[in-house]
Amino acid sequence: MRFLCVTCNEAMKLERVEGPEDGSLSVLFACAACGNRVAMLTNPWETQLVRALDVRIGGRSSPVEPMEFVRSMLASGREAGGGGASPSLPATGPASPSGCPFSAMANLAAETPGAIRQPGHPAIGESDASEPAPDPHPAIGEPRAPSGPVAGVPNSQLAWSPDAERRLERVPEFIRPMIRQSIEHFAAEHGYRLITPEVMAEARGAFGM
Amino acid sequence: MGDAGSGVASQLQDQTLRLHGRMAAIRHKVAILSGKGGVGKSTLTSNLAAALAEGGARAAVLDADLHGPALAKMLGVRGAALRFGPDGVEPPEAPPGIKVLSMDQLLRRDEAPLRWKAPTSEGDFVWRASAEAAALREFLSDTHWGALDFLLIDLAPGTDKISTLASLLPKIGAAIVVTLPTEVSQLTVRKSITLATELWGASVVGVVENMAGYRCGRCGHEERLFQGPDSAAMAREMGVSFLGRIPFDPGLAEAADRGAPYVRQARETPCAAALRAVAAALRSFVERPA
Ligand SMILES: Nc1ncnc2c1ncn2[C@@H]1O[C@H](COP(=O)(O)OP(=O)(O)OP(=O)(O)O)[C@@H](O)[C@H]1O
Ligand SMILES: [Mg+2]
């Protein structure tokens, strides 16, 4: 896959890879000629598909290790250095020996049980044990606004709960404004006035992320 | 770098080079397949390897059945460790010097099915085949096989496995198609022969009939086990070679369970003789003048 800058007819260069946030990666490309930038977001399935091809987004930065793919991808593999029958293969953990940001992050994402959750990095829309317990008497708009759908509510009428703001901060900075806008749009369309982690989760599902 | 800096094309090229470099030291790559399950592919693979090795050939086996590995068990090296050496992964050796690589050696427990790490198992059909092809490529290219005369590759059932292997090894010495003398078996096997012929050429495809007959342990009377169509006739009809028949022998299954190839355990039996004959036929098949 390659991205072309339509204006300059130049192949765009990979600038940075960020994530994973719930198995999703954000990859930023820039045109060397005009500086135009595009962000590509992958959902967990797309991340996994690239991973399954055993190629590294961003290129390799270290030599290939024997059976590096199998060892890093096996969910039920023998532990290195374990009991008698264990293979004497060094384990390739989430941080893959290639040092490739993509593979390491993709592996880390995959390590996380139940789709997604990393310690200290809860999924957008998931409750995080390290955070204060949610208010048992939530404010308006929680989880479904009792007022019903209010189509096209201007963004000024939408509020973000502190929890939701915190979650948004975990999204890579360069795509945050776009995510903010999409979630606000979703919230308005669905009649929410307060954006909570639950609303974010719902939006995520609707966006296929 | 046409793909924005990831060098994906060159990474894929490197993978191919790595694979071809490793395969260059192996004279004959032989796929044992069927399309049909449970017809004796793994039993044949383990015994062919033993017969070839006893005949002086340098032989190794690769268990390409990632989900139902059997070769480590059949060759008695299930508990043996894979070692990580400077030339790649060092596979254990089963007597008399058969290198064995199987997914079994990487799985944690007997009951552990093969599972890939993924953020979610939902939708895994999208990428599972790619992951399995990548795993098979690594098994082929990252194992320190050394110089070999024969690498026998035991495929899982399913005709799709033939295409996966052919995408990794577009040229092989032989594709042995195992069938039972039943219409049900041949229904699938014919599809496999068509596919193998299209992918590798009819000249490398050979049929072996398993469970061809039964010999009474008490009186020695021989009888057909199944009354189905003759597999040699099917091979002829489809324009491929016929490499021999293996009788049904409960001792063959018991030896496999014990992890000892029958050709070494019960040399005098007609079944072991039949297995050796197929090994000899395979040898002349791959060494015949072009
Ligand atoms: N000729 C034979 N006589 C007696 N038992 C046999 C014979 N051939 C195979 N078996 C037994 O039949 C069973 C299936 O054989 P095997 O596992 O080799 O088949 P397979 O084609 O590799 O199966 P799969 O499709 O699951 O990989 C095993 O228990 C094996 O020991
Ligand atoms: Mg088998």
Side-chain angles (χ1 to χ4, degrees), chain B residues 210-233:
Chain B
N210 190 23
M211 307 193 192
Y214 182 69
R215 192 164 191 265
C216 172
R218 253 179 261 151
C219 68
H221 171 72
E222 267 181 53
E223 236 186 279
R224 291 185 73 182
L225 192 60
F226 303 108
Q227 305 304 316
D230 179 46
S231 308

Side-chain angles (χ1 to χ4, degrees), chain B residues 28-36 39-49 52 60-65 71 150-158 161-162 165 169 172-179 192 196 200 204 206-208 210 243 278 282:
Chain B
H28 308 297
K29 273 83 71 184
V30 177
I32 289 89
L33 60 100
S34 172
K36 194 79 188 151
V39 294
K41 298 176 290 293
S42 306
T43 309
L44 181 67
T45 306
S46 52
N47 279 283
L48 281 183
L52 289 165
V61 295
L62 168 59
D63 195 340
D65 191 340
L71 286 184
F150 287 92
L151 174 62
L152 305 183
I153 306 162
D154 178 23
L155 295 194
K161 306 299 182 300
I162 306 170
L165 185 67
L169 299 178
I172 58 170
I176 300 184
V177 188
V178 185
T179 188
S192 301
W200 289 307
V204 302
V207 172
V208 170
N210 190 23
L243 300 178
V278 171
L282 170 63

Side-chain angles (χ1 to χ4, degrees), chain A residues 51 56 65 68-69 71-74 80 89-100 103-108 111, chain B residues 117:
Chain A
R51 214 168 153 244
R56 306 300 157 99
E65 289 208 22
E68 152 187 311
F69 174 79
R71 289 185 290 135
S72 64
M73 283 284 282
L74 269 187
L89 296 176
T92 59
S96 127
S98 70
C100 158
S103 63
M105 287 183 297
N107 287 344
L108 200 65
E111 292 274 275
Chain B
K117 280 180 194 162

Side-chain angles (χ1 to χ4, degrees), chain B residues 168-201:
Chain B
L168 295 167
L169 299 178
K171 271 184 140 181
I172 58 170
I176 300 184
V177 188
V178 185
T179 188
L180 303 185
T182 68
E183 283 187 27
V184 168
S185 172
Q186 290 187 8
L187 183 64
T188 302
V189 163
R190 281 173 181 269
K191 294 176 176 48
S192 301
I193 295 175
T194 305
L195 204 52
T197 300
E198 277 170 19
L199 293 165
W200 289 307

Side-chain angles (χ1 to χ4, degrees), chain B residues 231-278:
Chain B
S231 308
M234 176 194 65
R236 220 172 16 252
E237 193 191 309
M238 296 199 70
V240 298
S241 304
F242 186 72
L243 300 178
R245 296 176 211 277
I246 317 290
F248 181 87
D249 183 341
L252 179 55
E254 284 157 28
D257 285 355
R258 280 199 311 273
Y262 202 50
V263 287
R264 286 168 54 81
Q265 295 295 301
R267 291 171 197 280
E268 310 308 324
T269 57
C271 181
L275 287 161
R276 273 193 301 272
V278 171

